[in-house]
Amino acid sequence: MPSEEDALFGAVDALLEEVASREPLPAPAERKRLREAAGLSQEQVAGVLQVRREAVSGWEAGRTEPRAPKRAAYARLLEGLAARYPAPAPETRETPETPQTPGTPEAVPGDGPAAPDAAAPRPGDGQPARQQVAAPPPDSARPAAVPPPSRPAGGTAAVRSPAPRRPAEPETTTGRAPVPDASAADARFAHGPLGVLDGDGSVYCLGGLVLDCPARTLVEVVEWVLSESRLGAARLHRAGRDADPLVVLTAAAAERLGLPPVLEDRRGLRLPESHAVVKQIAKAGWKLTRRGFGPWTRVYRPAEGDRRRCVQFAVLPWDALDTRSWGGTGLLPAPEVAAVLGTYASRVITPRGSTAVCGLELMTALRPPTRAVRDETSGAWMPGPVPGSLSEAVDPAPPEAPAEHPIVAGLYPRHHQRTPDQVLDEEAFDWIREPELLTGAECARRFAVGIDVNTAFLAAANRLVVGLSAPVHVKRPAFDKRVPGSWLVDLSGIELDPRLPSPFTPHGERPDGPAWYATPTVAYAAELVATFGLPVSIEPVEAWLRRESGPYLDPWYKRLSEAYKATMADLGVVAGMDDAEFLTAMARHRQADPGTAAVLSAIKATVKGGIGKLRERPQGAGYRPGERWPALERPTWRPDIRAAVISAARVNMHRKILKTALATQQAPAPTGHLALGDDALVPIALLSDCAVYLSDGPSPPDVLPYTPDGRPAPGTFRLGVSPGMVKHEGTQDLLWAVRMLEEGHNPAQHIKGTDAAREGE
């Protein structure tokens, strides 16, 4: 039996070991330097510590941290090596003093964080206020490296990161808030935007980093994330707010935290308020948004000053990742889920709901509605609009409003079917040619070839000027293509070749009288009249116009187009390929890496979903026709902008169709009307961004027109990876296409051999 003294000494030794385990290890680079200075290999260190060589490699790269009892032994080894091989003293050089420039530098316009009121949620939306980050100390005052992780007392090893010091904000001589430093924000989010929590407490992050989370309850997870994880992402605009950390729960993690494997409420997709986890959150002083605890959830506490405390959760077993957007990502192992979502977050935005929600949130993140400005009279910070942004919610013009809107309910009786002169109907093409209009030359061809425009809605948003203010009603206006809005005008007098669809209607039929159109549609009508000398005048009867306008979607286009091209490059498809290389790369790009293919699918869904959210309809069983719904209170509820984007995409498609037809016919089009020769190449079907042509060969180069030097004919479709260029959608035989037309089906919907609409394309 050990003596009492031995027992006490043993307890003291254990306590000292626990204290040692909490002390920070040297930085990863220093661990590698010490090993190499001693002439040791990773295999030797691994053998002594009885771990795999890959574990030592991970410790030295900073991807993982050793756990007990290996951590204490590794710390002892490093301590001994540090005593034998101390770090060389830094070389000092004499530098002349830099004279101080008198005065305070002027702040950049619009670069300050918003005042608390500027980002405060509207009543009932349950969102905490924006977080502000003060400027960091100068480089000379910063530590050389962030202290390495240490172990919490009495728990599983966890990566800890002390919060960076936040000095007081320097005053400025202008009425603008100071600029937050990006490096300070990045240091706070050193472990990336999100983590995937698995059942063993491992949190998988972007880049292969693995953290250890000791939490056993959801509340403990929230507190660990906010205090130790260093997860999150810096704001995308100086007047915006940092992205809240996202924790993705696997099925095993959900079970560990007491969440059910499936949601019994299949309609509301929410946990009942009586559930133990919901009660646990409330008891600990945390709150849920008004939507409750569902597949995508925010847990937060009301903001205290500039401190934002909010964690997002995505529950994979509750289908947080829609297969139409993310493919099978939700079924992948946790490290692969982290790679897919982390890549999307770094290129687009930290996921915070469906891809449609992400598309809309990205607009706001890139162009926040307000910024902080100082009132010259009182000196107080006040919310002010950001130039070029949507700053407040506005009601649409009556023709722009969907049928459920209170404006429509006040004008028409219930169930009234509005006519084209009462409603703006800007939708994508869904058109097929009448089979009897097929020419003999077309019936002699062997194949039906589909070409698809890359991210057509995204390409249409590029440099598109949209309204930023409320609509103003005008009688008998003169049409101006520079003014965004909705115009009531009669375009039925513009007659095209019967084999061509009308560009003015989604179904391709010629309009039969006055109708409402967005500015891009009317501008294209004026272009056709001027180009072909058509005997038609464009004289709007009335219009709803927006006097304040700008390219609101330009930053959105740039970020998503770069994300799209970068992801395509990961799949082996890059700009500059010739047609043969491009088609070969596209034929195998989805087989290159399923995870990257899922990122690509999510980016494309973000584009379409984001545009669709601009006219979000009412949701939920409690809605009654004629009532307002929550989406109407958003500055980004703008059906007119959605209409303008779709109008521009449809017009762009028709313009290229017409240019292709003109480039392939032998005789020039006659002046005064638009008729094409029998040899002109005209599609037989259109569905949104897909066109189907009859061809002698099975490939797009067999269809598309080229100049004698091998270049695409000017203004026509062009193969390539960039938004607005086209790719091969699929090929079927002639008889299949003719049978589809005769049965009234759209060949463009099935040219791939699948149902494009069902796949969300």
Side-chain angles (χ1 to χ4, degrees):
M1 294 288 292
S3 66
E4 182 179 355
E5 181 177 303
D6 291 336
L8 290 173
F9 282 168
V12 169
D13 290 340
L15 183 61
L16 289 174
E17 183 177 349
E18 181 179 324
V19 172
S21 70
R22 296 201 302 266
E23 293 179 355
L25 295 172
E30 176 65 5
R31 304 170 197 176
K32 181 178 180 181
R33 185 196 72 79
L34 290 172
R35 176 182 59 76
E36 292 178 343
L40 299 175
S41 66
Q42 291 182 341
E43 288 82 359
Q44 288 175 290
V45 174
V48 170
L49 298 178
Q50 299 180 2
V51 296
R52 298 175 60 189
R53 184 198 64 79
E54 290 78 9
V56 178
S57 176
W59 300 343
E60 292 183 353
R63 293 191 300 269
T64 57
E65 290 297 315
R67 303 184 185 184
K70 313 296 183 184
R71 181 185 176 90
Y74 187 48
R76 184 180 179 87
L77 171 64
L78 295 176
E79 182 181 1
L81 295 177
R84 289 177 170 80
Y85 307 101
E91 187 176 306
T92 58
R93 298 180 182 177
E94 293 186 4
T95 56
E97 292 184 0
T98 302
Q100 300 256 341
T101 302
T104 305
E106 184 178 355
V108 180
D111 58 8
D117 289 347
R122 294 184 175 81
D125 79 354
Q127 299 301 316
R130 99 173 64 240
Q131 186 175 25
Q132 297 177 342
V133 182
D139 290 344
S140 59
R142 295 179 190 168
V146 177
S150 63
R151 178 201 252 326
T156 309
V159 172
R160 295 181 182 271
S161 174
R165 300 184 63 182
R166 300 166 59 182
E169 291 185 348
E171 292 193 6
T172 65
T173 57
T174 68
R176 307 177 185 95
V179 183
D181 185 84
S183 63
D186 291 344
R188 292 170 51 241
F189 308 130
H191 295 151
L194 56 87
V196 180
L197 177 62
D198 212 349
D200 62 354
S202 298
V203 179
Y204 297 90
C205 306
L206 185 61
L209 176 69
V210 182
L211 311 179
D212 293 322
C213 176
R216 304 294 300 185
T217 67
L218 192 131
V219 168
E220 290 176 356
V221 171
V222 172
E223 294 171 346
W224 175 83
V225 168
L226 294 177
S227 63
E228 302 182 25
S229 72
R230 297 166 72 189
L231 295 174
R235 63 194 69 183
L236 298 179
H237 187 282
R238 291 172 176 176
R241 66 186 186 192
D242 298 328
D244 297 317
L246 169 64
V247 177
V248 182
L249 303 179
T250 66
E255 181 181 3
R256 176 185 181 182
L257 299 177
L259 298 174
V262 295
L263 284 173
E264 295 182 1
D265 179 5
R266 301 310 301 168
R267 186 180 184 89
L269 293 177
R270 294 293 179 266
L271 279 183
E273 294 184 3
S274 59
H275 192 277
V277 171
V278 177
K279 289 183 175 180
Q280 172 195 108
I281 292 170
K283 184 177 180 181
W286 294 94
K287 295 181 178 294
L288 298 171
T289 60
R290 62 184 176 187
R291 292 180 62 84
F293 200 115
W296 289 91
T297 296
R298 287 177 182 264
V299 180
Y300 74 98
R301 278 182 179 154
E304 296 178 357
D306 64 351
R307 187 183 179 193
R308 180 178 172 86
R309 296 177 295 177
C310 181
V311 178
Q312 301 177 96
F313 287 92
V315 187
L316 294 182
W318 296 355
D319 300 323
L321 300 180
D322 191 330
T323 56
R324 292 171 296 181
S325 301
W326 294 98
T329 301
L331 302 176
L332 294 174
E336 296 179 37
V337 175
V340 172
L341 296 183
T343 302
Y344 177 90
S346 62
R347 291 179 180 174
V348 182
I349 193 172
T350 303
R352 55 192 69 183
S354 68
T355 48
V357 169
C358 293
L360 196 69
E361 291 288 338
L362 182 61
M363 295 179 195
T364 303
L366 294 169
R367 285 199 187 271
T370 57
R371 59 174 175 167
V373 295
R374 177 168 288 171
D375 184 271
E376 297 297 338
T377 303
S378 65
W381 290 106
M382 304 289 292
V386 175
S389 290
L390 302 175
S391 299
E392 59 182 3
V394 296
D395 279 336
E400 298 166 351
E404 302 91 341
H405 199 280
I407 289 179
V408 179
L411 291 175
Y412 306 105
R414 191 175 179 184
H415 304 305
H416 171 75
Q417 187 68 34
R418 289 185 288 175
T419 55
D421 61 341
Q422 296 173 336
V423 62
L424 179 70
D425 186 25
E426 295 285 13
E427 299 294 343
F429 271 127
D430 187 355
W431 167 83
I432 62 173
R433 201 196 310 173
E434 293 295 331
E436 56 269 21
L437 293 178
L438 293 175
T439 66
E442 288 175 325
C443 292
R445 293 168 183 158
R446 299 174 54 197
F447 300 100
V449 179
I451 56 174
D452 181 79
V453 180
N454 300 326
T455 57
F457 292 156
L458 185 62
N462 186 23
R463 299 191 298 274
L464 179 66
V465 176
V466 300
L468 302 177
S469 56
V472 177
H473 189 238
V474 182
K475 286 283 190 179
R476 296 289 178 184
F479 176 69
D480 187 344
K481 66 179 182 181
R482 297 168 297 180
V483 179
S486 301
W487 309 77
L488 180 61
V489 59
D490 189 352
L491 301 179
S492 61
I494 300 179
E495 184 176 0
L496 306 180
D497 189 286
R499 291 172 294 164
L500 283 173
S502 168
F504 312 129
T505 61
H507 46 72
E509 299 295 327
R510 182 177 171 183
D512 57 7
W516 286 97
Y517 303 101
T519 297
T521 301
V522 186
Y524 184 57
E527 177 185 325
L528 293 175
V529 169
T531 302
F532 297 98
L534 305 180
V536 178
S537 61
I538 306 298
E539 297 180 354
V541 177
E542 60 179 301
W544 288 90
L545 307 179
R546 288 168 169 82
R547 300 306 185 187
E548 295 180 23
S549 60
Y552 171 74
L553 293 173
D554 266 11
W556 189 78
Y557 163 80
K558 292 174 183 177
R559 185 162 180 88
L560 284 170
S561 64
E562 290 301 320
Y564 175 79
K565 289 185 287 187
T567 307
M568 290 298 290
D570 290 344
L571 293 168
V573 187
V574 298
M577 289 179 163
D578 62 35
D579 289 354
E581 292 173 331
F582 173 73
L583 292 171
T584 300
M586 286 297 298
R588 62 182 180 223
H589 81 286
R590 286 191 176 273
Q591 287 72 43
D593 175 37
T596 308
V599 175
L600 178 67
S601 174
I603 291 172
K604 293 163 68 175
T606 301
V607 173
K608 289 192 174 183
I611 297 299
K613 274 282 185 180
L614 291 168
R615 195 187 66 168
E616 183 177 357
R617 311 296 273 267
Q619 302 176 25
Y623 171 75
R624 296 293 179 267
E627 295 178 348
R628 296 184 69 85
W629 58 96
L632 301 185
E633 313 310 320
R634 294 193 321 246
T636 50
W637 192 84
R638 292 295 299 272
D640 58 299
I641 296 181
R642 173 188 178 273
V645 172
I646 297 176
S647 166
R650 194 182 66 245
V651 161
N652 290 345
M653 172 71 92
H654 195 277
R655 184 182 288 110
K656 290 187 177 181
I657 289 170
L658 183 56
K659 292 281 189 181
T660 299
L662 295 173
T664 52
Q665 67 177 8
Q666 297 299 319
T671 304
H673 62 285
L674 213 170
L676 301 172
D678 289 346
D679 55 345
L681 188 65
V682 183
I684 63 169
L686 297 173
L687 181 65
S688 187
D689 44 13
C690 177
V692 176
Y693 286 91
L694 298 181
S695 169
D696 293 323
S699 182
D702 299 318
V703 177
L704 303 179
Y706 293 83
T707 60
D709 61 356
R711 298 175 180 271
T716 64
F717 295 109
R718 181 174 182 175
L719 289 169
V721 70
S722 297
M725 302 177 79
V726 299
K727 59 182 180 294
H728 186 205
E729 181 73 355
T731 297
Q732 302 289 340
D733 60 60
L734 171 69
L735 294 180
W736 173 90
V738 173
R739 184 172 64 252
M740 294 287 289
L741 294 177
E742 291 175 342
E743 294 175 355
H745 301 307
N746 192 329
Q749 185 169 336
H750 305 278
I751 193 71
K752 293 173 65 174
T754 57
D755 187 333
R758 185 175 299 171
E759 293 185 353
E761 296 191 4

